[in-house]
Amino acid sequence: MISFKILFWLCLALVVYTYLGYGAVLYSILKIKKLFVRREAQPILPLDQELLPEVTLMICAFNEADVIEEKMKNIRELNYPQDKLCVMWVTDGSTDDSNKLLASYPEVKLVYSPERKGKAVAMQHGLRKNKSEYVIFTDANTMLNADAIREIVRQFMRPNVSCVSGEKRVKPRKSGQATAEGEGLYWKYESKLKQWDSDLYSAMGAAGELFAVRMSHYREAPGNALLDDFMMSMLILKDGHRIAYTKNAYATEYGSANTEEESKRKRRIAAGGLQSIWWLRSLMNPFAYPKVAFQFISHRVLRWSVTPLALFALIPLNILLILFDGHWTYYVIGIIQLLFYAAALTGHLLKKIGHRNKLLYVPCYFLFMNINVFKGISYLMSHKTSGTWEKTKRG
């Protein structure tokens, strides 16, 4: 029984630390750091536009004809000198009218591959045609704020920064779209953690919706990487350079159309997370990477590996301790668990009938996210040699 008690409290500590405790620890460390360390000055961009660096904006796309017009309109509205901006589209095996539509835009540099090999390979194909020191990656279906490129360039002027991650913002196509609103709430919390990570030392990876690299420090991600953006950014971090995070450069996209579509994305992310943990396992060594190990394990490794196991192990362990120990503490924790799962189930049922309740989106989406970690294991087994994936329908 003692071993069950130890396992129960260990699982509970893991769950609380991964999803709440790490954020609290980061916040506390940053408050203490603020007392003793002078705040880093915000870099100032040159007023003369001629001194701004040339930048490549790269969009890797597969059958994105439906959003090309909207994306190009968004690009033309960016507040950056057009003669300093190379707009590169890399179409990876597209079979729709993407190439034809892109050919009508004189500013577009089109790189086409007739065979679909996945985003990581498409990125590498595009980068072989690139001539800029700074490359910004964004998705076809995400829209950038007007000052996004200026803000990213500003971040590169900070000490030892060789990768910049922008903020991802998710919005529902219409009010009451539960999956999209749950995803949006999750990303607000995730964005805060990324900002605190960056303020402490470095963000732990970048998301493909909007991130940038300094090509002199670029490292190629494996061609079969399921999280190509994450791997690319973390390999830069592994080489001793920082990943800066900025909320002032953001990419907005619609949330997944429904739960099934969001599950596709979550399975791939979970699979890619497990794949990345193995490839980047040396970063968990605190002697080799004293600044990174704590953040990497706390923010990424735990939530992609052992913590989902600990979360669902709490249920049977709690029942066993109620039956064979009977201490009131286990009854209280059991009731809290019961209420949490009841709230998640209620949120799921309300979502099915189209009823809107933001409070119940949180437990529902939280469980949905963790369940898909287990689905990601089988996904990884079937995608060991390929970096391609099925597109998620948005909005």
Side-chain angles (χ1 to χ4, degrees):
M1 186 53 61
I2 293 176
S3 60
F4 280 132
K5 285 183 180 179
I6 294 172
L7 186 57
F8 173 81
W9 288 108
L10 179 61
C11 287
L12 184 61
L14 266 175
V15 171
V16 172
Y17 175 74
T18 301
Y19 296 110
L20 295 174
Y22 177 57
V25 170
L26 271 181
Y27 180 79
S28 301
I29 292 175
L30 289 172
K31 284 292 184 182
I32 296 170
K33 181 182 176 182
K34 190 177 179 181
L35 295 175
F36 299 99
V37 180
R38 183 181 296 178
R39 187 173 181 178
E40 184 180 324
Q42 181 79 341
I44 300 173
L45 282 177
L47 294 176
D48 188 349
Q49 294 197 7
E50 292 298 318
L51 297 177
L52 290 173
E54 291 187 1
V55 172
T56 293
L57 182 65
M58 184 182 295
I59 306 103
C60 296
F62 169 70
N63 287 352
E64 296 285 7
D66 291 346
V67 297
I68 285 175
E69 183 180 353
E70 183 182 6
K71 183 68 175 181
M72 288 305 301
K73 182 177 183 294
N74 175 245
I75 291 172
R76 286 176 169 179
E77 292 172 350
L78 294 174
N79 181 21
Y80 204 79
Q82 292 298 307
D83 61 331
K84 298 276 188 174
L85 182 63
C86 172
V87 181
M88 182 185 292
W89 283 76
V90 184
T91 57
D92 179 43
S94 292
T95 56
D96 62 0
D97 291 332
S98 293
N99 293 342
K100 182 180 178 182
L101 289 170
L102 290 168
S104 65
Y105 292 93
E107 69 268 39
V108 168
K109 182 175 183 178
L110 179 60
V111 179
Y112 172 62
S113 174
E115 183 181 355
R116 190 183 183 204
K117 295 183 179 179
K119 191 176 178 182
V121 176
M123 282 180 167
Q124 294 163 16
H125 189 192
L127 289 174
R128 287 195 292 270
K129 307 291 184 180
N130 167 65
K131 297 180 181 179
S132 304
E133 169 68 351
Y134 302 103
V135 179
I136 300 173
F137 300 92
T138 183
D139 290 340
N141 63 340
T142 60
M143 303 303 143
L144 311 183
N145 63 306
D147 289 325
I149 295 180
R150 283 181 174 269
E151 178 59 25
I152 286 172
V153 169
R154 184 196 308 278
Q155 294 301 316
F156 276 119
M157 298 171 68
R158 295 171 60 188
N160 203 30
V161 169
S162 292
C163 180
V164 179
S165 174
E167 182 169 283
K168 174 181 176 177
R169 298 185 181 183
V170 178
K171 64 179 181 180
R173 176 77 69 174
K174 57 185 178 181
S175 179
Q177 192 177 355
T179 302
E181 295 199 15
E183 186 185 353
L185 288 171
Y186 164 75
W187 273 104
K188 285 179 182 179
Y189 175 65
E190 179 65 14
S191 295
K192 181 58 69 174
L193 286 183
K194 286 184 176 183
Q195 185 66 67
W196 288 343
D197 272 335
S198 181
D199 291 344
L200 182 60
Y201 174 65
S202 171
M204 290 295 108
E209 288 79 11
L210 179 60
F211 79 106
V213 299
R214 187 193 301 269
M215 288 305 299
S216 55
H217 295 153
Y218 162 75
R219 294 293 177 267
E220 189 173 284
N224 62 331
L226 294 170
L227 292 183
D228 41 80
D229 40 22
F230 180 76
M231 277 302 301
M232 190 186 298
S233 58
M234 291 299 286
L235 288 173
I236 290 174
L237 179 63
K238 189 176 179 182
D239 278 350
H241 308 288
R242 293 164 58 198
I243 305 169
Y245 179 82
T246 174
K247 65 180 181 180
N248 295 324
Y250 54 88
T252 305
E253 68 178 358
Y254 290 113
S256 300
N258 51 51
T259 304
E260 290 73 24
E261 292 299 319
E262 177 64 2
S263 183
K264 289 180 190 176
R265 202 176 67 85
K266 284 297 180 189
R267 287 198 300 269
R268 177 181 63 83
I269 291 173
L274 292 168
Q275 185 188 57
S276 301
I277 288 171
W278 176 250
W279 285 339
L280 298 167
R281 58 192 181 278
S282 61
L283 287 178
M284 290 185 270
N285 183 348
F287 300 102
Y289 299 95
K291 292 182 179 180
V292 175
F294 160 65
Q295 291 179 271
F296 181 51
I297 292 171
S298 298
H299 194 163
R300 297 301 184 188
V301 176
L302 292 179
R303 67 167 62 181
W304 280 340
S305 57
V306 296
T307 300
L309 291 170
L311 175 68
F312 293 111
L314 282 173
I315 304 169
L317 287 171
N318 203 164
I319 292 172
L320 285 172
L321 290 171
I322 288 173
L323 292 175
F324 296 104
D325 185 287
H327 194 277
W328 65 268
T329 306
Y330 301 116
Y331 282 97
V332 171
I333 296 174
I335 291 170
I336 292 171
Q337 284 203 80
L338 183 63
L339 290 173
F340 178 81
Y341 283 98
L345 178 61
T346 305
H348 176 70
L349 294 175
L350 289 175
K351 180 181 65 177
K352 287 286 187 181
I353 61 174
H355 188 74
R356 185 170 180 262
N357 189 312
K358 280 191 175 182
L359 285 177
L360 300 178
Y361 290 164
V362 176
C364 183
Y365 191 80
F366 177 79
L367 285 181
F368 167 78
M369 185 172 63
N370 280 280
I371 289 169
N372 276 284
V373 171
F374 294 94
K375 292 181 178 180
I377 297 172
S378 61
Y379 186 100
L380 180 58
M381 294 299 101
S382 62
H383 288 74
K384 283 184 176 180
T385 59
S386 173
T388 63
W389 65 80
E390 188 178 353
K391 285 172 59 177
T392 300
K393 295 177 183 177
R394 292 283 176 177

